[in-house]
Amino acid sequence: MLSVTDLHVNYGRAEILHGVSLDVGEKPLSVVGRNGMGKTTFCYAIMGMIPVRSGAVVLDNVPLHRRSAMQVARRGIAIVPQGRRVFPSLSVDEHLKLASRGQKAAWTPERIYDTFPRLAERRSNGGAQLSGGEQQMLAIARALLRNPRLVIMDEPSEGLAPVIVDQLIDVLKRLSLDKIGLLLIEQNLRVATSVSDTVAIMLGGRVATTLPAAQLSADATLQRRYLGVSSTMH
C-alpha cells in the first residue's frame, strides 16, 4: 500500500532522517522509538508537510514525495497529529461536518457517533470543552471521515487514561476491517504491540530493525536496548 524508500530529510543543515525505508501493507504497522529519533519528522515527510531532500514515498504505485500536503491528503492519506489539534471554537458536530466528504462512504458522522458514543453525548460542545480523551477521539474521527486509504497516527495514546487507551486499541484493531491501512507511531509499547503484528524500531533517524510484535513484547533485553525501557517498567 505505502512504500517509503531511502528517505532523507533535513532541518537546515541537520539531517534528521538518514535513508528510512519502510513498507505498510493491509495490516497495521507500528513504529516505536525514544523521543528525538525522527518519528514525527517521518510522519510529516510522508504527508508532504515538510520537504524531502531525497528518497521516495509511493502510495498504491503513485509517487507522493514531490506533492503538497493537500495533494497527499486527496490521494488518500490522513493524519492524526500529535497533540490532537482540534479547533477550540468549533463544536464536535461542526468538526465532523467539516471533515465529512458529504458523499456515500464507509465512514459517516452517524457511524462516528456509533463508534464513539462519548462524542455523541458531547456533540454540541466546543473543542476546548473536551477532555484529552475526547479530543483524541475527535481527532481520529476527523481522519476517518476522509475515508482514507491509509491513516498515520502520531502518539495517539499520549496523555490518555488507561481505560481510554483500551478503547483506542479496540478502534485501531478494527480499521483493517474497512481495508484502511494504519501506520502507528507510538511510545507506549503495549499499544504498539497490541495493534500491530509487526513493529519497526526507529533509532537515530533510521529504522534499526523490524521484528514481530510478540518478540519485542516478550524480550525485555530488546526493549532496553532500543527503547531504554521494558514493558514491565512502562
Side-chain angles (χ1 to χ4, degrees):
M1 185 185 299
L2 178 75
S3 180
V4 180
T5 306
D6 197 26
L7 199 65
H8 292 260
V9 174
N10 282 41
Y11 284 133
R13 300 172 114 186
E15 186 173 7
I16 307 301
L17 298 184
H18 307 273
V20 175
S21 296
L22 208 59
D23 292 329
V24 183
E26 297 288 345
K27 293 184 178 180
L29 175 68
S30 293
V31 177
V32 299
R34 296 190 294 267
N35 285 333
M37 295 296 106
K39 303 188 303 298
T40 295
T41 297
F42 181 53
C43 296
Y44 288 175
I46 293 172
M47 282 300 304
M49 297 165 68
I50 55 175
V52 172
R53 180 164 65 83
S54 63
V57 178
V58 178
L59 179 71
D60 291 330
N61 299 315
V62 177
L64 300 179
H65 46 280
R66 293 289 180 259
R67 303 190 185 218
S68 68
M70 179 176 66
Q71 291 172 323
V72 171
R74 285 178 173 170
R75 292 301 308 187
I77 302 182
I79 187 169
V80 178
Q82 187 175 17
R84 294 123 195 182
R85 301 190 189 182
V86 301
F87 295 104
S89 61
L90 293 186
S91 70
V92 169
D93 209 45
E94 288 168 336
H95 273 89
L96 300 190
K97 288 178 180 177
L98 187 65
S100 178
R101 286 177 175 239
Q103 61 188 30
K104 187 175 181 180
W107 283 95
T108 62
E110 292 74 23
R111 185 179 176 189
I112 289 296
Y113 285 136
D114 288 340
T115 304
F116 301 104
R118 185 59 178 163
L119 291 184
E121 296 171 7
R122 306 278 275 166
R123 63 193 305 158
S124 62
N125 290 82
Q129 297 173 310
L130 304 178
S131 68
E134 292 163 349
Q135 288 185 5
Q136 190 62 69
M137 293 176 196
L138 183 55
I140 293 171
R142 185 173 54 188
L144 293 178
L145 283 172
R146 299 298 300 166
N147 286 279
R149 185 81 173 97
L150 173 77
V151 177
I152 300 172
M153 296 195 185
D154 191 5
E155 306 283 4
S157 72
E158 185 178 47
L160 301 185
V163 64
I164 303 298
V165 171
D166 290 338
Q167 294 175 14
L168 173 67
I169 290 172
D170 184 57
V171 170
L172 299 187
K173 283 181 175 179
R174 284 185 275 153
L175 289 185
S176 59
L177 299 177
D178 287 312
K179 297 184 179 179
I180 296 175
L182 174 63
L183 178 60
L184 177 64
I185 311 298
E186 261 296 347
Q187 284 197 62
N188 187 320
L189 192 58
R190 181 173 73 89
V191 175
T193 55
S194 295
V195 172
S196 305
D197 293 333
T198 304
V199 176
I201 299 175
M202 189 167 282
L203 189 64
R206 296 180 172 87
V207 175
T209 187
T210 301
L211 68 166
Q215 179 183 352
L216 180 61
S217 182
D219 194 328
T221 301
L222 278 177
Q223 294 169 22
R224 284 191 293 269
R225 180 190 308 167
Y226 290 116
L227 307 175
V229 298
S230 69
S231 57
T232 56
M233 297 167 58
H234 200 289

